[in-house]
Amino acid sequence: MRNQLNERVAISGVGCTHFGDLMETPAIKDMSLQELTAAAVKEALDDAGLSGQDVDAVFAGNAMVHSSQLPATYSQMSKWTGTQFKAGVHFEAQCSTTNVGLAMAATAIAAGVYDTVLVFGVESTRSKVKDYSPYEREPISHQQSWLWTDMAVNQAYGVPQGYDIFSSYNGLVALGYCRKHGISIEDFDRGMFELCRTRRLHGSMNPKANIQETMEDAAKRKGLSDAFEYWQSENNPFVAWPSRLLSLVTTADGASAMVLTRADTAKSGRSQPVEVKGFGISASDLPWYGEDPTIWKNDERAVEDAMDMSGIKAGDIGYLHTHDCSHISSLCTAELIGYLEPGKALDAAREGRLRFDGDRPMSTHGGRHAFGHAWAASAGSDTYEAVLQMRGKAGKRQMPKPPEVSVIHTHGYAMIGTVIVLGGM
Amino acid sequence: MRNQLNERVAISGVGCTHFGDLMETPAIKDMSLQELTAAAVKEALDDAGLSGQDVDAVFAGNAMVHSSQLPATYSQMSKWTGTQFKAGVHFEAQCSTTNVGLAMAATAIAAGVYDTVLVFGVESTRSKVKDYSPYEREPISHQQSWLWTDMAVNQAYGVPQGYDIFSSYNGLVALGYCRKHGISIEDFDRGMFELCRTRRLHGSMNPKANIQETMEDAAKRKGLSDAFEYWQSENNPFVAWPSRLLSLVTTADGASAMVLTRADTAKSGRSQPVEVKGFGISASDLPWYGEDPTIWKNDERAVEDAMDMSGIKAGDIGYLHTHDCSHISSLCTAELIGYLEPGKALDAAREGRLRFDGDRPMSTHGGRHAFGHAWAASAGSDTYEAVLQMRGKAGKRQMPKPPEVSVIHTHGYAMIGTVIVLGGM
Amino acid sequence: MQATSGKPNKIRWYYEGLSKGVFRASKCSDCGKFTFPPTGCCEHCGSWNVEDAELSGKGTLLFATHSGSDASHPRFEKAAPFVYGHIRLEEGPIAQAIIQGAEPTPEDLKALYEKGPVPVQAVTLQMDDLPVIAFKLQD
Amino acid sequence: MQATSGKPNKIRWYYEGLSKGVFRASKCSDCGKFTFPPTGCCEHCGSWNVEDAELSGKGTLLFATHSGSDASHPRFEKAAPFVYGHIRLEEGPIAQAIIQGAEPTPEDLKALYEKGPVPVQAVTLQMDDLPVIAFKLQD
Ligand SMILES: [Zn+2]
Ligand SMILES: [Zn+2]
């Protein structure tokens, strides 16, 4: 493949809702998925200074159709977003959805077809349609949630034979990492704590985050004076030894949106545009890694393609998000990308280098754990954060120096490594 | 929008399975959806002279996730099609899926990113996963099938309030057509008979069709000597007066695939390539038409965009397929496109002009009624037929003079008008 | 348009209206057109500047056919087959809905077709689990 | 590899093998590598030229952790939590599966980790509705 974009493409608007629970979280409580989507889309269109009728196409992301029951999402959302009669498609790449949408939108613009494309992702991982009601929802059980989520995992031989996400994505990767770099289980545990503490700190500075409580405050709430004591307590069991519960994703409902446009027209928009410099996408079925659980070939390919298309090197990256459903996996990816030194990611976490004000800032919105994870909407939330950071508009968690180049890596479940590179214009 | 393809793109390989029932039809009986997909993909890759490892990206179409339970289709199919580590996405535009995939693939190539893209669509409308079995399937009831299919229709206000596909898509359109053109209900009925007879004839000449029995043979089987008597009998009730059962889609399981590539490399492939000259896509929520049920604004837009991008006029079209879940709707679209004279479509059917050997050939594979309809796979089956006709390889039903320009229109349910224009190279 | 929880949910609001015989829509403050049933965005021009509105329920039945005899949704098992029509509402929107006052037979439907457009009035059908809009023939 | 219906279904064929303690795969005639569990296409090179094959079931457990205590699938409710391992098979493929011969406790798992790679042998677990592959520690 030639792996180039024949024309320059920019993000001219971004939007993202509060990530939480449609049945509980005040900011989004009782909203329909149509309204949740519209909230993100409105923010993105307003940001770009456009209306739904100004876009040429709508790429509508939603992964778990069993909970949303809104296939043909392009048409079901069209009267809620003002996009009637535009081109459209419903798509999913699970937790990479919105950024795979960004890549598809970029190609549609660089091909010469469309000038402006709206991409959105919406998901409810917490509740489902109740009976046949057009507006009532009911909570999903833990098992139901995983049954539907794991439908994205090999249905012939993976799930039927005892596949377990916590093992595959956390425990085995952690052990591979410790063995490879000679790290003790105790040091691993301390490093994971520090990483989670950083993510919780970021979440506490983000009014849209699913969890806005710092680890210190959580400890206090439980009557413990020390955050590490909280970390090692029964509040944080091993879900796949040596990985603990708080190194994992928290599920959420949410929506995100972005407006992509030709770079030559983006500057006349309402907000500071950001250029799509490149992307790389590579899918793989189970197992996601060979003998070494820290090296994922699909990520290697995606990173290589994105770097090649954008022409950047690891040293150019000012802000990085790597997919962190599993915190240890996210660190492996950051090392793979070259943002962190091999085997030194836990040190970096302990030294505070991964904080918004550190020299290797990562996931400043709080990541999948603190910001929360709403499958098809999440990659868009990562891009949203990157754009805010690049514009210097990230509020309390703003990096001291807005990054010139941001890289966002996501894992679309089961499995698709996706990397996008954003640059200032 | 600029509505152009910056680079030329071609279809270099096509594949399609027999359309039928995975639990009954000998040619596909007991195949898994993975194997059904692989069969179509293998045919397309062989046709292009490539392997799965030669493609850069896989656009994986599947609409009714409730029956397939294979989201993240790009990864779940990757080991069955040899496409591990390629870029991918799972998408759907319901019954337009495969051709919307063709459009997306064309932009990804014309943008300069990929050289070769595999698009496939797979669907089972007849059966679903049985319990939690990795291979057993069980039939879907009529109501279950419509519940899942109608999930693509406005879930806020359409389906909950009594929406009926047969009424909206057939009966009302038929009445609008008769009123507008002063056609009697009797003449309408006769015209619909003749159209169905033509489609059945085409199906009988297509070894992959869901129904390969002519209307005459069906009449004979029922002990009737006359096909029109059969048409007017209890074998063919009104499903939405004045529209009858045999003017409708028949459901099927099936898969289709195509390989798209840069036009400059397509000629070195194994088979005669066909150029993607243009496309147009426009989505709309209910109602799909205003006061006049024969004019659909989403189709007008899609047709206009496809004509504009390709630079063709109606008179250039040598072969046309319009979406014919509803036969009367398909004729309205053919008139909208300008392939048939307004109000004269029924005459054309009666005069045999729509047959493979007529001067206005349409749906020579048998269309949604005789070839059958497998949601996400169907648009690909239409494209497959067009490519065969353009190559002069359509067997018994080959048009006497292979068309230079083919236009394929599909309705992605609920609703997305999609038009693609193919031309010889 | 506050829903029971205190947050906006236009869909719930619509059905709550319907259960009281009120036909709710939204109206665009920019282009003046109605979006029916209501959303938070103008379906015509894409403006977010929309207001709550009520429709009269008056309309004209343009064409009428019937549903399948086997309901495609459990909600309508008792009702199917029913007459289903294409309606132009007084305020502009086009709607499709269940029609009352005619039988789903070729005879009744042919008579309706030959008669041409006729006035209808929206009414509420209370199904087991949800109110549903229908239109009643007015002559 | 004819399945019961007389048509090829590799997935059924795999599970039928498993129920008899046979570990089925496919082998590529072009690159010589195994695809395990079997498909009709080589996962490595994309060749369609694959043959039915059986694996010995011998392997090496590289790492072991455990599943969640609440099963994420009804099939495994009785079994969870279980030890889950990362295995290199003698013939090359990497597999992940249930491990027998250790408890899903931090103590057992830490001991296994410190011991390093150990030999395992594939066995069949007959669940209520399906045979499932597992690997038994060999020492
Ligand atoms: Zn307006
Ligand atoms: Zn091979």
Side-chain angles (χ1 to χ4, degrees):
Chain A
M1 61 186 183
R2 284 173 300 167
N3 202 40
Q4 65 196 41
L5 282 170
N6 284 341
E7 300 193 17
R8 295 175 63 192
V9 178
I11 299 175
S12 61
V14 289
C16 187
T17 67
H18 194 296
F19 271 30
D21 189 317
L22 284 172
M23 302 192 68
E24 290 177 4
T25 306
I28 58 173
K29 189 170 174 179
D30 200 40
M31 287 173 86
S32 62
L33 289 182
Q34 290 89 338
E35 289 161 314
L36 192 69
T37 302
V41 168
K42 181 177 189 303
E43 185 183 356
L45 288 171
D46 285 351
D47 192 33
L50 301 175
S51 88
Q53 282 297 303
D54 296 323
V55 309
D56 299 315
V58 178
F59 290 9
N62 176 242
M64 204 156 71
V65 176
H66 281 71
S67 77
S68 59
Q69 300 197 359
L70 292 169
T73 322
Y74 44 83
S75 75
Q76 302 218 39
M77 296 299 184
S78 64
K79 292 191 179 188
W80 298 84
T81 54
T83 55
Q84 280 269 91
F85 305 113
K86 303 306 179 179
V89 68
H90 166 217
F91 72 103
E92 60 90 5
Q94 297 291 314
C95 324
S96 283
T97 297
T98 2
N99 283 356
V100 167
L102 174 147
M104 293 194 303
T107 67
I109 293 166
V113 179
Y114 302 130
D115 293 331
T116 306
V117 177
L118 170 66
V119 179
F120 68 76
V122 60
E123 202 81 43
S124 174
T125 67
R126 295 278 191 95
S127 58
K128 67 180 177 73
V129 174
K130 185 175 180 191
D131 303 325
Y132 298 112
S133 175
Y135 54 84
E136 296 272 11
R137 300 185 67 79
E138 62 185 0
I140 312 176
S141 73
H142 175 87
Q143 193 177 74
Q144 185 65 80
S145 178
W146 281 112
L147 262 181
W148 285 346
T149 302
D150 283 349
M151 269 187 198
V153 182
N154 190 315
Q155 293 286 302
Y157 302 122
V159 170
Q161 297 200 90
Y163 160 84
D164 186 88
I165 184 176
F166 305 113
S167 306
S168 297
Y169 212 172
N170 288 273
L172 297 171
V173 176
L175 293 170
Y177 189 82
C178 290
R179 168 78 39 87
K180 184 174 183 175
H181 299 296
I183 294 165
S184 72
I185 300 297
E186 291 67 31
D187 280 354
F188 170 81
D189 200 40
R190 182 84 206 187
M192 286 290 99
F193 160 72
E194 293 289 357
L195 182 63
C196 184
R197 204 157 68 96
T198 295
R199 297 292 155 88
R200 285 291 196 101
L201 173 70
H202 292 162
S204 76
M205 301 164 101
N206 188 344
K208 289 183 173 179
N210 193 31
I211 299 181
Q212 298 180 24
E213 185 185 48
T214 62
M215 194 91 81
E216 289 74 9
D217 286 343
K220 233 174 273 174
R221 183 166 50 80
K222 291 285 181 182
L224 302 171
S225 59
D226 180 64
F228 190 58
E229 189 183 342
Y230 174 75
W231 175 266
Q232 292 196 305
S233 74
E234 75 283 353
N235 295 296
N236 189 24
F238 291 114
V239 291
W241 182 88
S243 290
R244 294 179 186 269
L245 182 63
L246 294 176
S247 291
L248 264 57
V249 57
T250 61
T251 58
D253 305 331
S256 63
M258 30 194 164
V259 177
L260 277 88
T261 191
R262 289 162 53 190
D264 58 0
T265 60
K267 286 194 174 167
S268 59
R270 188 158 159 184
S271 308
Q272 184 187 329
V274 160
E275 186 170 353
V276 178
K277 305 286 282 185
F279 59 83
I281 302 170
S282 173
S284 156
D285 198 353
L286 286 168
W288 303 321
Y289 38 87
E291 291 197 24
D292 179 351
T294 69
I295 301 287
W296 296 29
K297 191 169 169 185
N298 66 84
D299 285 333
E300 286 183 316
R301 294 259 181 121
V303 169
E304 188 184 321
D305 288 349
M307 296 291 216
D308 174 64
M309 191 189 293
S310 60
I312 66 153
K313 296 190 182 65
D316 300 325
I317 303 172
Y319 171 73
L320 177 69
H321 170 77
T322 55
H323 195 79
D324 61 345
C325 270
S326 151
H327 279 168
I328 183 58
S329 169
S330 75
L331 295 179
C332 292
T333 317
E335 293 184 2
L336 175 76
I337 289 169
Y339 192 67
L340 302 175
E341 208 184 323
K344 302 295 182 195
L346 296 174
D347 295 341
R350 278 196 294 268
E351 291 156 10
R353 298 176 66 195
L354 309 186
R355 286 165 48 127
F356 72 101
D357 54 359
D359 72 324
R360 288 289 183 275
M362 288 182 70
S363 308
T364 50
H365 51 343
R368 296 285 177 268
H369 175 78
F371 189 76
H373 192 359
W375 299 186
S378 289
S381 78
D382 306 330
T383 302
Y384 181 79
E385 177 71 9
V387 170
L388 294 191
Q389 291 287 359
M390 295 173 83
R391 287 177 178 168
K393 303 281 191 191
K396 279 194 205 171
R397 64 192 187 282
Q398 176 63 47
M399 291 164 51
K401 185 166 172 284
E404 272 298 308
V405 173
S406 293
V407 170
I408 299 153
H409 162 274
T410 52
H411 275 152
Y413 199 29
M415 181 53 64
I416 186 161
T418 304
V419 176
I420 66 167
V421 179
L422 304 179
M425 292 184 67
Chain B
M1 61 186 181
R2 283 173 301 167
N3 202 41
Q4 66 197 40
L5 283 170
N6 284 341
E7 299 193 18
R8 294 176 63 192
V9 178
I11 300 174
S12 61
V14 289
C16 187
T17 67
H18 194 296
F19 271 30
D21 188 315
L22 285 171
M23 303 192 67
E24 290 177 4
T25 306
I28 58 173
K29 188 170 173 178
D30 201 38
M31 287 173 85
S32 62
L33 290 182
Q34 290 89 337
E35 288 160 314
L36 192 69
T37 302
V41 168
K42 181 177 188 302
E43 185 183 357
L45 288 171
D46 285 351
D47 192 33
L50 300 174
S51 87
Q53 283 296 302
D54 296 323
V55 309
D56 300 314
V58 178
F59 290 9
N62 176 243
M64 204 158 71
V65 175
H66 281 73
S67 78
S68 60
Q69 299 196 1
L70 292 169
T73 323
Y74 45 84
S75 76
Q76 302 219 40
M77 297 299 183
S78 64
K79 292 191 178 188
W80 298 83
T81 55
T83 56
Q84 280 269 94
F85 305 114
K86 303 307 179 178
V89 68
H90 165 218
F91 71 103
E92 61 89 4
Q94 298 292 313
C95 323
S96 283
T97 297
T98 1
N99 283 356
V100 167
L102 174 147
M104 294 194 303
T107 67
I109 293 166
V113 178
Y114 302 129
D115 293 332
T116 305
V117 177
L118 169 66
V119 179
F120 68 76
V122 59
E123 202 81 45
S124 174
T125 67
R126 296 278 192 94
S127 59
K128 66 181 177 74
V129 173
K130 186 177 179 189
D131 304 324
Y132 298 112
S133 174
Y135 54 83
E136 296 272 13
R137 299 185 69 79
E138 64 185 0
I140 312 176
S141 73
H142 175 87
Q143 193 177 75
Q144 185 66 79
S145 178
W146 282 113
L147 262 182
W148 285 346
T149 302
D150 283 349
M151 269 186 198
V153 182
N154 190 315
Q155 292 287 302
Y157 302 121
V159 170
Q161 297 200 91
Y163 160 84
D164 186 87
I165 184 176
F166 305 112
S167 306
S168 297
Y169 211 172
N170 289 273
L172 297 171
V173 176
L175 293 171
Y177 188 82
C178 289
R179 167 79 36 90
K180 184 174 182 176
H181 299 296
I183 294 165
S184 72
I185 300 296
E186 292 67 32
D187 280 354
F188 170 80
D189 200 39
R190 182 83 206 188
M192 287 289 99
F193 160 72
E194 293 289 356
L195 182 63
C196 184
R197 205 158 68 96
T198 296
R199 297 293 155 87
R200 285 292 194 101
L201 173 69
H202 292 162
S204 76
M205 302 166 99
N206 188 345
K208 289 183 173 179
N210 192 32
I211 299 181
Q212 298 180 25
E213 184 184 50
T214 62
M215 193 91 80
E216 289 75 9
D217 286 345
K220 234 175 272 175
R221 183 166 49 81
K222 292 285 180 182
L224 302 170
S225 59
D226 180 66
F228 191 59
E229 190 183 339
Y230 174 74
W231 175 266
Q232 293 196 305
S233 73
E234 74 283 353
N235 295 296
N236 188 24
F238 291 114
V239 291
W241 182 88
S243 289
R244 294 178 186 269
L245 182 64
L246 294 177
S247 292
L248 264 58
V249 58
T250 61
T251 58
D253 306 330
S256 63
M258 31 195 163
V259 176
L260 277 88
T261 190
R262 289 161 53 188
D264 58 359
T265 60
K267 285 196 174 166
S268 59
R270 189 159 158 184
S271 308
Q272 183 187 329
V274 160
E275 185 170 353
V276 177
K277 304 287 281 186
F279 60 82
I281 303 170
S282 172
S284 156
D285 197 352
L286 286 168
W288 302 322
Y289 38 86
E291 292 198 25
D292 180 351
T294 68
I295 301 288
W296 297 29
K297 192 169 168 185
N298 67 85
D299 285 333
E300 285 183 317
R301 294 256 181 123
V303 169
E304 188 184 322
D305 288 349
M307 297 290 216
D308 173 65
M309 192 190 292
S310 60
I312 67 153
K313 296 191 181 63
D316 300 325
I317 303 172
Y319 171 74
L320 177 68
H321 171 77
T322 54
H323 195 80
D324 61 344
C325 270
S326 151
H327 279 166
I328 183 59
S329 169
S330 75
L331 294 180
C332 293
T333 316
E335 292 184 2
L336 175 75
I337 289 170
Y339 191 67
L340 302 176
E341 210 185 320
K344 302 296 182 195
L346 295 174
D347 294 341
R350 278 196 294 268
E351 291 156 10
R353 300 176 65 195
L354 310 185
R355 287 165 48 126
F356 73 100
D357 54 359
D359 72 324
R360 288 290 183 275
M362 288 182 68
S363 307
T364 50
H365 51 343
R368 297 285 177 270
H369 175 78
F371 190 77
H373 193 0
W375 298 187
S378 290
S381 78
D382 307 329
T383 302
Y384 181 79
E385 178 71 9
V387 170
L388 294 191
Q389 290 288 359
M390 295 172 83
R391 287 177 177 168
K393 303 282 190 191
K396 280 194 205 171
R397 63 192 187 282
Q398 176 63 48
M399 292 164 50
K401 185 168 173 283
E404 274 297 309
V405 172
S406 293
V407 170
I408 299 153
H409 162 273
T410 52
H411 274 153
Y413 199 29
M415 181 54 63
I416 187 161
T418 305
V419 176
I420 65 166
V421 178
L422 305 179
M425 292 182 66
Chain C
M1 58 142 284
Q2 296 298 299
T4 51
S5 71
K7 286 287 165 188
N9 181 319
K10 285 262 183 183
I11 305 173
R12 183 194 299 272
W13 178 72
Y14 170 80
Y15 286 101
E16 284 172 353
L18 205 52
S19 70
K20 293 181 282 193
V22 176
F23 310 105
R24 289 172 172 165
S26 37
K27 187 177 182 184
C28 181
S29 303
D30 288 330
C31 76
K33 291 185 185 166
F34 289 90
T35 293
F36 173 78
T39 70
C41 186
C42 175
E43 71 173 79
H44 308 283
C45 75
S47 168
W48 303 97
N49 195 9
V50 297
E51 292 172 1
D52 295 345
E54 287 182 17
L55 301 185
S56 64
K58 284 183 191 147
T60 303
L61 176 66
L62 302 172
F63 298 104
T65 179
H66 61 93
S67 74
S69 50
D70 294 329
S72 53
H73 192 289
R75 181 174 295 124
F76 297 97
E77 271 169 16
K78 293 178 197 164
F82 46 77
V83 177
Y84 196 76
H86 190 59
I87 301 130
R88 184 188 56 230
L89 298 175
E90 190 178 59
E91 294 86 351
I94 297 288
Q96 296 190 336
I98 294 173
I99 302 296
Q100 294 196 313
E103 291 302 307
T105 60
E107 297 69 33
D108 265 30
L109 295 167
K110 193 164 192 191
L112 259 181
Y113 173 68
E114 286 170 354
K115 196 168 184 181
V118 289
V120 288
Q121 172 63 45
V123 295
T124 301
L125 293 181
Q126 186 59 50
M127 310 306 284
D128 288 346
D129 65 336
L130 196 74
V132 165
I133 197 168
F135 288 84
K136 211 179 171 84
L137 297 177
Q138 288 301 289
D139 51 353
Chain D
M1 53 141 286
Q2 296 297 300
T4 50
S5 71
K7 287 287 164 188
N9 181 320
K10 285 263 183 182
I11 305 174
R12 183 195 299 271
W13 179 72
Y14 170 80
Y15 286 100
E16 283 173 353
L18 204 52
S19 70
K20 293 181 283 194
V22 176
F23 309 106
R24 289 172 171 164
S26 38
K27 187 179 183 184
C28 182
S29 303
D30 288 330
C31 77
K33 291 185 185 167
F34 288 90
T35 294
F36 174 78
T39 70
C41 185
C42 176
E43 72 173 78
H44 307 284
C45 75
S47 168
W48 303 97
N49 196 8
V50 297
E51 291 172 1
D52 295 344
E54 286 181 17
L55 301 185
S56 64
K58 285 181 190 149
T60 304
L61 176 67
L62 302 172
F63 299 103
T65 178
H66 61 91
S67 74
S69 49
D70 293 329
S72 53
H73 193 290
R75 181 173 294 123
F76 298 97
E77 270 169 16
K78 292 177 196 164
F82 45 76
V83 177
Y84 197 76
H86 190 58
I87 302 130
R88 184 187 57 232
L89 298 175
E90 191 179 58
E91 294 86 352
I94 297 288
Q96 296 190 337
I98 294 173
I99 301 297
Q100 294 196 311
E103 292 302 308
T105 59
E107 297 69 31
D108 266 30
L109 295 168
K110 193 164 192 191
L112 260 180
Y113 173 68
E114 285 170 355
K115 197 169 183 180
V118 290
V120 288
Q121 172 63 44
V123 297
T124 300
L125 293 182
Q126 186 59 51
M127 311 305 285
D128 288 346
D129 65 335
L130 197 73
V132 165
I133 197 169
F135 289 84
K136 213 179 170 81
L137 296 176
Q138 288 301 287
D139 52 349

